[in-house]
Amino acid sequence: METPHVAHRQSNAPCRPAGRFALKAGLRPACALTAAMLLAGCSDVAHIGHSLFGKTTPIVTGYIGTVVADEPRAALIGRDVLVHGGNAADAAAAVGMALSVTLPSRASLGGGGACLATRANEAPQAFVFLPGSASASGAATRQAAIPMTPRGLFTMQLRYGTVEFADILGPSVRLARSGTTVSRVLANDIAAVQNPLFADDAARSVFSRPDGAPLQNGDALVQPQLASFLERMTNVGVGDLYNGALGGIFVEGANKAGGGLSTTALRNAMPAQIAPLQVEQDGYVASFLPPPADGGLGAAAAFHSGASAQSVVATWRSEDRHGLSNDALLSAAQTLVNGGSSRGGSLPSLPASTSFVVTDNKGGAVACALTDNNLFGTGRMAEGTGVLLAAAPGRYPAPLLAAAIVQRRGTLTGAAAASGQNDAADALAQAARAIVSGTTVPHEGQGRVNASVCKGGNCQGDTDPRGGGLSVGSVNN
């Protein structure tokens, strides 16, 4: 059910402003930031007039940061958050939640992932929220993963963001209810698994045309059930999915689709905040996602010694570390990276994923990779919710989730994240080397990199030109 990852270059969908934001309680406003950008196919950007503080302000131009993602509409949502004064963590959370609407084949609410986040003059932190394991029940015909994307992004944004999480959910609700344009990557994903996906009535009703043919690039994708689910999460909070009535609704719907979940498993599933793996080189410090997001381990080793990232991860996965704490896993992984060698080996064909990077004008950055543990996860939706269920861990080999942030004396030099299945970690290592050396980020092989390269306080986004990803930032009129 896999297909090589393909990014998208442009979108013909109109832009929608992110709306007004409310400051988190206790935070003091610094300055209201708005920006107008010239983007092809995005003519209504100049009408954005609401600031973070809920008042109309003159539109200004100038550097606000960058957003680079595999799916164009989600990237534009992140850009709008920066336009309205949100920081990198706010925008990254908005991108991740928007991807659950625009690219659910790889980033459903039912899935998970991992992010690196930093502010100026601070060491990055990793947030690992892989799609969780649940004890299989007798009713499980397609064992699903515990959904971790909402809780993971919420935790990251709570630690690093500046606005209320509910406010950044608004654009995703509107995209699901009013509809968004199917991008080429989503159209390709639907075509790749059309027959098994359309065996589920709920999935077929969402991802097919009225005549039963699969949605194509440029078609409208409308998801009213998902809109209602997201809207309820907006109103009652992410915690209700894990500890409240919304969680009960989700579990009931998932189990009707054979997911085999429980409210206890939802309640106990927690993201982890972990120190990253680090490699120092020529005065630069490159931070990588730590295990259990072991694509970062492979990328760190390849960056450090030139080893094959796949071989390093194959070595890591061949050794039993069941039951080790996150600190113990980090220590073992850092030792492997520093050792600069592996026993060799290869990995089987790995599941699909997607990645994105956000930077802001204050030196903050977030780099994330998300997955459903398989293209379209289990291929089934939790009944009545519109949420695609990710595949349970162990049903397929774990994907390589790879992201890095590079700093020099505490100043952001660049951030990158990668997908592309087996080649993701090696592609990320090459991107990190390019950031350190000041050369162009390479785009070769099956790996797909989204990057933001920074110099003099400004960052320039970079997405794979072979695909259709979108990099957006600010320009002068």
Side-chain angles (χ1 to χ4, degrees), residues 51 113 116 218 256 337 348 377:
S51 76
L116 283 172
K256 287 180 179 178
V337 169

Side-chain angles (χ1 to χ4, degrees), residues 127-139:
F127 295 84
V128 180
F129 46 100
L130 305 183
S133 297
S135 298
S137 72

Side-chain angles (χ1 to χ4, degrees), residues 93 96-98 100-101 108-111 147-155 164-170 172-173 177 225-247 249-250 266 385-387:
M97 295 303 288
S100 72
V101 179
S108 166
L109 289 180
M148 291 302 294
T149 293
R151 201 169 217 174
L153 292 175
F154 172 82
T155 302
E164 296 294 340
F165 191 80
D167 289 331
I168 61 179
L169 287 175
S172 296
V173 174
R177 175 163 290 119
Q225 288 188 336
L226 182 59
S228 296
F229 190 83
L230 283 165
E231 187 169 42
R232 177 156 183 174
M233 190 185 300
T234 302
N235 293 333
V236 300
V238 170
D240 201 63
L241 174 59
Y242 298 90
N243 297 292
L246 190 60
I249 292 170
F250 179 81
L266 272 182
T385 70
V387 177

Side-chain angles (χ1 to χ4, degrees), residues 411-438:
T411 299
L412 181 66
T413 306
S419 58
Q421 296 163 261
N422 292 55
D423 291 337
D426 284 297
L428 178 68
Q430 293 177 5
R433 289 194 206 103
I435 291 171
V436 168
S437 64

Side-chain angles (χ1 to χ4, degrees), residues 43-145:
S43 60
D44 63 345
V45 172
H47 298 294
I48 294 173
H50 291 293
S51 76
L52 178 63
F53 312 113
K55 61 184 179 181
T56 301
T57 57
I59 294 173
V60 298
T61 58
Y63 177 69
I64 60 167
T66 59
V67 183
V68 192
D70 292 331
E71 200 289 316
R73 192 58 183 271
L76 291 171
I77 292 296
R79 184 283 321 270
D80 284 346
V81 172
L82 294 178
V83 165
H84 286 77
N87 69 7
D90 300 320
V95 171
M97 295 303 288
L99 286 169
S100 72
V101 179
T102 63
L103 194 58
S105 54
R106 298 166 185 258
S108 166
L109 289 180
C115 295
L116 283 172
T118 190
R119 287 187 286 250
N121 301 311
E122 290 186 8
Q125 287 288 296
F127 295 84
V128 180
F129 46 100
L130 305 183
S133 297
S135 298
S137 72
T141 57
R142 285 178 178 258
Q143 184 65 49

Side-chain angles (χ1 to χ4, degrees), residues 278-473:
Q278 290 192 326
V279 178
E280 296 187 27
Q281 186 177 106
D282 301 327
Y284 293 86
V285 177
S287 299
F288 296 85
L289 286 174
D294 56 15
L297 163 66
F303 173 79
H304 177 61
S305 65
S308 163
Q310 283 199 67
S311 294
V312 171
V313 175
T315 296
W316 176 262
R317 293 185 179 182
S318 69
E319 300 173 358
D320 183 13
R321 294 181 176 83
H322 180 73
L324 290 183
S325 67
N326 287 328
D327 287 342
L329 285 173
L330 178 63
S331 177
Q334 190 70 62
T335 298
L336 181 58
V337 169
N338 295 343
S341 63
S342 66
R343 295 196 303 269
S346 60
L347 295 169
S349 180
L350 299 179
S353 60
T354 188
S355 72
F356 59 92
V357 170
V358 181
T359 64
D360 60 35
N361 61 1
K362 305 176 186 67
V366 177
C368 299
L370 302 177
T371 186
D372 290 336
N373 279 345
N374 187 43
L375 203 62
F376 286 97
T378 67
R380 300 292 181 264
M381 286 184 169
E383 187 174 312
T385 70
V387 177
L388 277 165
L389 297 169
R395 186 175 177 186
Y396 302 98
L400 289 178
L401 301 184
I405 290 176
V406 182
Q407 296 169 308
R408 183 177 176 87
R409 300 188 183 94
T411 299
L412 181 66
T413 306
S419 58
Q421 296 163 261
N422 292 55
D423 291 337
D426 284 297
L428 178 68
Q430 293 177 5
R433 289 194 206 103
I435 291 171
V436 168
S437 64
T439 57
T440 301
V441 173
H443 297 288
E444 54 195 28
Q446 294 300 312
R448 296 289 184 265
V449 173
N450 291 314
S452 188
V453 183
C454 310
K455 185 176 182 180
N458 283 13
C459 301
Q460 181 69 44
D462 183 286
T463 191
D464 196 316
R466 299 170 298 174
L470 183 65
S471 170
V472 288

